Amino acid sequence: MASSRRAIQGRLIAAFRTEAGERITDMADCLAQLDQSHDEALLEQLFRDIHSLKGAARAVSLSSIESLCQAWEGLLAAIRKGRLELNDDHIVLGRKAYQCLSQMLNDLDQPEPQSLPALCRSLRLAGDGRKEAAPPVADDAAAVPGDRSAVSAASHHPARIGGDSQLKVKADRFDQLIYIAESLHQSKLEAGQYLQMVEEAQGRFSEWHRMSQEIASARQRLDRGNESGDVQAVSTLVACTQRMETFLARWENHLNKLARQSRRMEHNVAAISDQVRQELQEILMLQCSEIVHGVPAMVHEIANATGKAVNLAISGESLHVDKRVLDSLKSPLHHLLRNAVDHGIETPEARRRAGKQDKGNISISFVHGNGGRFSLVVEDDGRGLDPGEIKTKALALGVIDREISEEMSNAEVAKLAFRSGLSTSSIITDLSGRGLGLAIVRDHIEALGGQVDVDSQPGQGCRFTFHLPTTLATYRALLVQVSGRSLAIPATHVERVLRLAPEALKSVEGRLNVRVGDAVLPAWRLRDVLSLPAPDTTRQSWVRVAVLQWGDVRFGLLVDEVEGDQEIVIKALGPLLARVPNVMAATQLGDGRIVPILHPQDLYQTACGTTSAPVAEQEQAGLREPPSILVAEDSVTSRGLIKTILESVGYRVETASDGREAWERLQEEPYTVLVSDIEMPRMDGFELTARIREHPDLAELPVVLVTALKSREDQEKGRQVGANAYIVKSSFDQGNLLEIVRQFV
Amino acid sequence: MDVLIVEDSVVVRQLIRHILEEADCRVIGEVSNGEEAVAFVARQRPDVIAMDIHMPGMNGYQASRRIMETRPVPIVVVTSSENLADGTTAMRVLEAGAITVVQKPQGPGHPDFEQHARELVRTLRIASEVKLVRRIPRRDAVPEDTSLNDRLTPKVIAIGASTGGPQAIKALLGQLRADLPWPVLIVQHIAPGFLPSLREWLNETCALNVRIAEQGESPQAGQVYLAPDGAHMTLDARQRIALVNCNGDGYLCPSVARLFDSLARHVGGRVVAVLLSGMGSDGAAEMRTLRQLGALTVAQDPTTVVVNGMPGEAVRLEAAEQVLTPSQIAEWVAGLYRTHGEKSL
């Protein structure tokens, strides 16, 4: 009994830490906002938080917390009931109570603060509508208003009290997950059944082992050349062959069945996996209000400490966004707010001089956007960024040169604040106070697939906008190949993919340009940007260009192959590779390959700095005429099909409807490869091949025979007449044909 | 016993669950606000609901009303009594149809834990067994005219009540005028700590002044005296209030029996004795004695009680001369004093 009681006590304390952590954060927000407006709903919420914290403290026998809550609650109850009117004294008392509470919550084992009884008495007296004759509560160190260090000690990390982070999930979400888990269970049973089938099939191989022994001994007898034995051995072999045929037929049947069932199971499992992912993703969609928890208190606290007066407005926080996005958004948001209060908003005197209201305004808004994106806008009406200061620093660091700096607009200058070189410099450090620089803020946002934007009017204020995806779970990416490696580019930044004739690529002053519509964009070979080795031979008839775009920046990247776009799951690189140039994260493809996901903004910067600008000649050299292929085939359908397949990968294709026509064309014009049918009127494929091999100019022409015939003799004949490859139409598929043709171009 | 816990603090939910499970009760659900409670009851049927009051969104009062209007389930209000306002709200939840109120338990580290836990479980068990009748609002018929000519004028009204009592007392007192010529003595069994809330709540709606009885005072006409926590309220020979310590004398504390017994000794038949809704049989036998002495005795009409223990027993023992609803009792009392107005204590 005693041990079970200790166990429950331990569990309750753990739960208490979490609950208290949430409530104390909430209280801080309410207090900060009550300071601005005496709103009834806020009062109600504060009351409820205190009331519930009291109940929770009681359940874990923390009587000093319980009694403080009790006294505070009494005061608020009197205000709620209309017996008292909320005044500034009440808020001051409330703040003291809050500080005392967070101090006690920070260390539950500490003895209660000495000021507690006096504070409780003040709260009770205030609740009765009386004020103390003597100066209220002997302020202990933690309760001096405006003392920055003390405030921080008591309340700076209220959320930390709440141990492990928890996620609140609507119960009915789980019903769906349970349903899915049940279908998964079904698939598990099926998988077990298939395993059994496969094992049974495996067992049948004992028959084959017996047979192979018989065959081996029959062969031995044949080898020894004993005549009477020969007859016996041959009849054994014949018998074995027959048995083997039945055995294999049975096996084929069996394999077909297994394949069919496996396909069905694959289908089911895929559906379940998709559902689970989708459900979990929806569970992970939280209201943006999650990240503004604690924000009003923080803003209030910094404002107090720096002698500013600030109104904070929050809007759109009911928007639902992926928890992982929100989590990573927290520190950038805090950073911006800190900047805004500390450096953006002026002191009341300065504001008055500038003809503004004493109280500065800061607004946080979450704005729903299109295509699964949203924006977080943090705006203040303070002094704005100083373009002169930024410019001076940027010049000093050599980030820009004087000529350019003269022409830069304020908006362009403001954007410089995000440059990493600048963020560590003194002016930006001044600008950002402490913690992360703006460059790191930008990195945070970009790692989420987002963009940052800043708009600053000197003297009027500053607006930061983060454009972000609402969900992270899956991500579309363009898979490309460069120098034999697969790489992924976030699809959100890929405007389009082009297959261009080499002429579309222009070289201007040693730099490449590509014409896209009416625009001429700068272009680089991705291989050069990433300093990858050039492949041995470039047999490219087309240039493949991915056009990347974000904000105003558009540029082309030349790649070797485009594998297509697909959904990928982002895997972070881990703390050891926190920041790898040009790489944002990695993903694992279905076939197990690990593919890096490129960082478009980084790529652009690296590309701009690529001194060895790709020269046109080098480029053109790799881009010779597309190989031309002659297809000889009498069936219109087959001819069309083969032509289409070959053209789809960029070959130039001409056709002939029989062997003779093909022969004539071959003499008129050079071709890289001939693809020919065997059975054709007038001249068949064998004859055509034979003639080609005898012709002095054409002898080296690669010939690929395609036929419906599936006979060994034909194949042998094809080889004899000098064909380079032989494809049976029944085994004919696109990949197969292309693969063979590629060997000869 | 299947219990639904409605409570917004995770910690308190865990504590209550632990207490209930230790006592072999089944917690079939935990929800954190009123809306969820209403939705839960629409899907599943607990035997009893442990209901908190202050919750975000729909609070305990609103939720209880909704549940009692739609799918009645016995509700026990679980709240702390330190705060008068909370207690009064708890009383209002009783009016909304909750059965009774119980102290939110102290944690396992507290010396009172065991006792609170036992009390919580006991109260929930009692409530879970209450058969809820969907109340059909009806006009109270005027009670039959009782001839009082051959009866002695009453000097005092004494009321005994337990589970379901606060609601009935409020209905009864609410209809009495401030110039009532007799004092009213009430013994109401209630969880320790809730008495001030009860008084506050009654005072909000009654014309009469409701107070907690003090040692040695003489009951005054038009005043209502509630027996305090932890003591029996009796009248002594000089007809002053005498509070007697409860020390394991085998009675509930405070007990209706002790009050009625002292009235029988010192006031005789000049008493109006009333037994309202409640578990058990406290005061029924003593009411019979009073009736034999000529007192006017009433039991609450079983169609209006939450639990028909005490009034039912009074009827069974033929201790009750009349069986009336609370507002009928009020009218009947008013009728009495129209005829006997001036002749009180």
Side-chain angles (χ1 to χ4, degrees), chain B residues 9 65 86 88 104 109 127 141 148 151 171 178 191 212 221 223 234 241 247 259 276 282 293 300 328 332:
Chain B
S9 162
R65 265 195 32 193
D86 288 358
T88 327
K104 202 170 263 190
L148 292 166
R151 310 289 282 268
I212 293 171
Q223 300 282 316
T234 62
I241 288 175
N247 33 18
L259 172 65
L276 299 174
D282 186 20
L293 290 170
Q300 188 180 348
Q328 283 173 332
W332 179 69

Side-chain angles (χ1 to χ4, degrees), chain A residues 512-700:
Chain A
L512 282 174
N513 281 328
V514 64
R515 175 171 284 280
V516 178
D518 293 336
V520 175
L521 307 179
W524 289 271
R525 268 202 256 103
L526 184 52
R527 187 207 313 151
D528 292 338
V529 176
L530 298 176
S531 316
L532 293 174
D536 302 339
T537 48
T538 31
R539 288 172 176 279
Q540 297 256 329
S541 47
W542 300 97
V543 193
R544 288 177 181 76
V545 181
V547 179
L548 272 61
Q549 179 262 333
W550 75 91
D552 305 331
V553 179
R554 289 172 84 200
F555 66 102
L557 282 177
L558 275 61
V559 301
D560 297 347
E561 289 277 355
V562 173
E563 292 184 34
D565 79 311
Q566 67 178 75
E567 272 193 356
I568 56 168
V569 178
I570 297 184
K571 315 254 185 202
L573 294 176
L576 288 179
L577 299 174
R579 192 72 181 88
V580 179
N582 299 321
V583 177
M584 191 168 82
T587 184
Q588 188 166 19
L589 300 182
D591 57 10
R593 273 185 297 159
I594 308 273
V595 172
I597 304 170
L598 299 178
H599 191 302
Q601 286 90 332
D602 261 21
L603 283 181
Y604 182 67
Q605 290 201 344
T606 315
C608 288
T610 307
T611 46
S612 59
V615 287
E617 300 78 57
Q618 188 193 343
E619 198 61 39
Q620 300 294 0
L623 300 170
R624 56 187 178 78
E625 278 288 290
S628 56
I629 296 173
L630 181 65
V631 175
E633 164 71 76
D634 62 330
S635 147
V636 182
T637 322
S638 298
R639 201 161 61 218
L641 178 67
I642 296 173
K643 185 173 192 288
T644 314
I645 293 173
L646 293 172
E647 278 181 346
S648 74
V649 293
Y651 298 122
R652 195 166 60 79
V653 180
E654 282 178 34
T655 55
S657 53
D658 59 47
R660 179 154 301 162
E661 192 189 337
W663 177 240
E664 282 159 10
R665 279 173 167 267
L666 283 170
Q667 282 163 311
E668 287 162 13
E669 224 183 297
Y671 289 94
T672 322
V673 178
L674 167 71
V675 176
S676 171
D677 188 14
I678 291 177
E679 291 175 312
M680 291 180 293
R682 299 206 287 169
M683 184 190 289
D684 69 9
F686 294 132
E687 194 185 338
L688 177 63
T689 312
R691 284 201 188 184
I692 288 169
R693 289 291 170 256
E694 280 157 20
H695 193 281
D697 295 340
L698 296 174
E700 296 300 314

Side-chain angles (χ1 to χ4, degrees), chain A residues 132-270:
Chain A
E132 269 162 308
V137 192
D139 288 320
D140 62 300
V144 181
D147 176 341
R148 183 95 207 262
S149 61
V151 172
S152 309
S155 61
H156 199 240
H157 294 293
R160 201 180 283 167
I161 301 158
D164 301 337
S165 71
Q166 293 191 347
L167 182 61
K168 282 178 196 156
V169 178
K170 285 233 176 253
D172 49 2
R173 281 254 157 257
F174 278 99
D175 294 348
Q176 185 60 23
L177 277 178
I178 285 167
Y179 171 74
I180 296 170
E182 274 162 11
S183 23
L184 193 58
H185 182 70
Q186 187 60 37
S187 295
K188 183 183 98 179
L189 296 179
E190 269 176 50
Q193 207 184 332
Y194 298 161
L195 175 66
Q196 204 184 346
M197 283 168 66
V198 172
E199 278 171 350
E200 266 171 34
Q202 210 178 18
R204 291 207 191 122
F205 263 81
S206 57
E207 192 180 336
W208 160 249
H209 293 311
R210 268 201 314 280
M211 245 188 291
S212 77
Q213 273 168 9
E214 283 177 41
I215 292 170
S217 67
R219 268 217 314 262
Q220 270 174 10
R221 265 175 284 162
L222 276 176
D223 284 348
R224 270 187 241 116
N226 180 327
E227 265 198 28
S228 62
D230 278 1
V231 180
Q232 214 178 13
V234 167
S235 69
T236 309
L237 282 177
V238 168
C240 279
T241 316
Q242 278 166 353
R243 269 159 61 200
M244 195 134 61
E245 257 172 38
T246 4
F247 176 75
L248 285 177
R250 255 204 343 254
W251 247 95
E252 188 181 14
N253 189 2
H254 209 76
L255 276 179
N256 283 343
K257 211 156 85 189
L258 269 178
R260 225 175 19 247
Q261 284 173 336
S262 302
R263 202 173 303 125
R264 205 181 62 214
M265 188 165 84
E266 189 271 343
H267 184 79
N268 289 345
V269 171

Side-chain angles (χ1 to χ4, degrees), chain A residues 346-358 383:
Chain A
E346 311 88 331
T347 57
E349 304 78 60
R351 289 182 66 88
R352 232 172 290 146
R353 277 199 303 278
K356 299 182 187 176
Q357 286 178 326
D358 283 11
R383 61 170 73 96

Side-chain angles (χ1 to χ4, degrees), chain A residues 1 5 8-9 11-12 15-16 19 23 47-48 51-52 54-56 58-61 66 70 73 81, chain B residues 8-12 14-15 18 54-56 80 82-83 85-86 103-110 114 116:
Chain A
M1 186 68 201
R5 179 159 322 165
I8 176 72
Q9 179 78 349
R11 282 213 306 279
L12 289 175
F16 178 78
E19 184 174 340
R23 298 210 184 273
F47 171 81
R48 236 184 11 241
H51 177 84
S52 299
K54 181 186 77 176
R58 180 189 168 91
V60 288
S61 309
E66 188 188 347
Q70 171 69 39
E73 182 190 340
K81 284 269 163 75
Chain B
D8 74 327
S9 162
V10 187
V11 182
V12 178
Q14 284 193 14
L15 175 64
H18 169 76
H54 292 289
M55 290 175 292
S80 57
E82 284 97 73
N83 193 316
D86 288 358
Q103 185 76 252
K104 202 170 263 190
Q106 287 281 2
H110 197 275
E114 293 278 350
H116 281 183

